[in-house]
């Protein structure tokens, strides 16, 4: 990604995106005509009730699905027109993901899971595992470095998930209901962690939630109803 692109343009540009799904001879219109520009370093929340199209929008932004119409650019690159191989490489290089169900690989330790994105970048094993251990310590898991996901609590798995999402310093981290399975105290810890990484490294966060308390962490709240943006509010950051 060119430095000039990052400086001069929004990191994410969404133009006239529509998403339809065929369903038993009918068509479900999940997104109607979405236009959105997201600045580098912004913590942007996609907010709405169940079925409003939040995950569908995230999937188009992250290149997990192709829009029916319109285009999505990240750092100037049109991801909605990339072929699968190019897209996979782009995702590994520029994007990070935090999942509601953590999605750690069960037969790898916390350290090996977190080190994985650096493997795709060609970082030698000793170096990537050192970086993974350091980051796991920063998210409070110094005592769980060699544990497997099945030997960790949900909150611990999600901390490892966050370390994995951020370790390769991606430009954008996508998080769909990242605390959906966690209690309220752990939710606060996890959200504080995501926001502090974002601010430290000026990384853009796309956070999907239906929960107003989580949305309150964002700099900007884009509200969806029935596949349309009905409001878009930017707050002043708390210092
Ligand atoms: N693969 C699919 N095939 C058909 N319809 C789909 C498909 N995926 C999503 N939809 C429909 O698109 C709409 C938006 O779904 P989406 O999953 O984006 O909602 P959401 O806002 O993420 O909801 P939730 O908060 O429950 O996760 C819904 O009406 C859903 O039924
Ligand atoms: Mg969803």
């Amino acid at each position: 990604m060119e430095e000039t692109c990052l400086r001069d343009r929004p990191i994410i540009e969404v133009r006239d995106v529509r998403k339809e799904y065929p369903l038993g001879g009918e068509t479900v219109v999940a997104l109607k005509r979405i236009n959105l520009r997201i600045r580098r370093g912004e913590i942007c929340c996609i907010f709405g009730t169940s079925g409003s199209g939040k995950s569908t929008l995230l999937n188009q932004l992250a290149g997990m699905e192709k829009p029916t119409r319109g285009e999505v650019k990240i750092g100037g690159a049109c991801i909605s027109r990339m072929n699968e191989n190019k897209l996979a490489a782009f995702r590994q290089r520029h994007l990070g993901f935090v999942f509601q169900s953590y999605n750690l690989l069960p037969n790898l330790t916390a350290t090996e899971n977190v080190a994985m994105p650096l493997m795709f970048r060609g970082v030698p094993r000793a170096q990537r595992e050192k970086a993974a251990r350091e980051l796991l310590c920063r998210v409070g898991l110094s005592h769980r470095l060699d544990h497997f996901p099945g030997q960790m609590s949900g909150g611990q798995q999600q901390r490892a998930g966050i370390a994995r999402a951020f370790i390769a310093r991606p430009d954008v981290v996508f998080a769909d209901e990242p605390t959906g399975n966690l209690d309220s105290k752990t939710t606060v810890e996890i959200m504080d962690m995501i926001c502090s990484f974002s601010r430290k490294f000026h990384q853009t966060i796309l956070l999907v939630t239906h929960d107003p308390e989580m949305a309150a962490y964002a700099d900007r709240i884009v509200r969806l109803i029935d596949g349309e943006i009905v409001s878009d509010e930017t707050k002043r950051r708390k210092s």
Side-chain angles (χ1 to χ4, degrees):
M1 206 173 303
E2 306 293 326
E3 278 305 314
T4 48
C5 292
L6 298 181
R7 243 192 343 261
D8 303 339
R9 313 172 65 148
I11 181 89
I12 301 177
E13 295 173 86
V14 180
R15 202 166 54 79
D16 292 335
V17 161
R18 179 180 176 90
K19 182 65 182 176
E20 300 172 356
Y21 294 107
L23 190 70
E26 297 197 2
T27 301
V28 177
V29 182
L31 296 174
K32 285 178 183 153
R33 190 172 176 173
I34 302 292
N35 284 285
L36 196 57
R37 291 155 78 84
I38 295 168
R39 288 197 315 275
R40 187 168 172 80
E42 203 161 51
I43 300 177
C44 180
C45 173
I46 310 293
F47 182 74
T49 54
S50 179
S52 56
K54 306 182 296 295
S55 297
T56 305
L57 179 55
L58 195 87
N59 289 342
Q60 317 308 304
L61 299 186
M64 312 300 277
E65 292 178 2
K66 293 258 189 284
T68 309
R69 268 185 240 154
E71 62 174 25
V72 177
K73 288 185 179 174
I74 299 185
C78 190
I79 63 156
S80 48
R81 295 211 196 102
M82 272 182 199
N83 67 35
E84 279 309 312
N85 286 343
K86 235 180 137 186
L87 195 52
F90 184 90
R91 262 195 232 113
Q92 282 170 9
R93 181 83 189 83
H94 297 290
L95 311 182
F97 296 88
V98 182
F99 300 94
Q100 179 173 1
S101 49
Y102 323 128
N103 287 21
L104 300 173
L105 294 175
N107 53 351
L108 297 185
T109 64
T111 302
E112 289 164 344
N113 264 288
V114 172
M116 184 76 89
L118 294 178
M119 186 176 81
F120 295 128
R121 302 267 184 105
V123 177
R125 183 179 182 138
Q127 206 178 317
R128 64 180 189 251
E129 294 202 346
K130 180 170 180 281
R133 284 193 296 272
E134 281 170 10
L135 202 50
L136 281 164
C137 292
R138 290 227 334 246
V139 299
L141 287 179
S142 55
H143 58 318
R144 294 289 181 272
L145 300 177
D146 298 318
H147 282 232
F148 292 94
Q151 300 168 330
M152 295 193 287
S153 71
Q156 289 168 345
Q157 289 183 61
Q158 195 57 306
R159 285 163 206 237
I162 288 167
R164 180 187 55 185
F166 282 91
I167 193 161
R169 303 266 178 93
D171 297 301
V172 185
V173 172
F174 294 94
D176 193 345
E177 303 280 6
T179 62
N181 293 329
L182 302 173
D183 62 56
S184 54
K185 178 170 172 284
T186 313
T187 292
V188 170
E189 288 168 4
I190 292 290
M191 287 310 300
D192 283 345
M193 240 168 240
I194 291 177
C195 295
S196 79
F197 278 131
S198 158
R199 294 197 169 137
K200 185 157 189 219
F201 300 112
H202 207 50
Q203 282 161 306
T204 309
I205 309 291
L206 255 290
L207 168 73
V208 158
T209 188
H210 64 276
D211 177 353
E213 282 185 32
M214 277 186 63
Y217 283 86
D219 303 320
R220 176 176 176 189
I221 301 178
V222 174
R223 185 187 299 255
L224 286 185
I225 296 181
D226 287 340
E228 282 182 295
I229 295 177
V230 293
S231 68
D232 183 348
E233 289 168 23
T234 300
K235 295 187 306 195
R236 269 193 27 206
R237 273 187 180 180
K238 282 186 234 154
S239 52

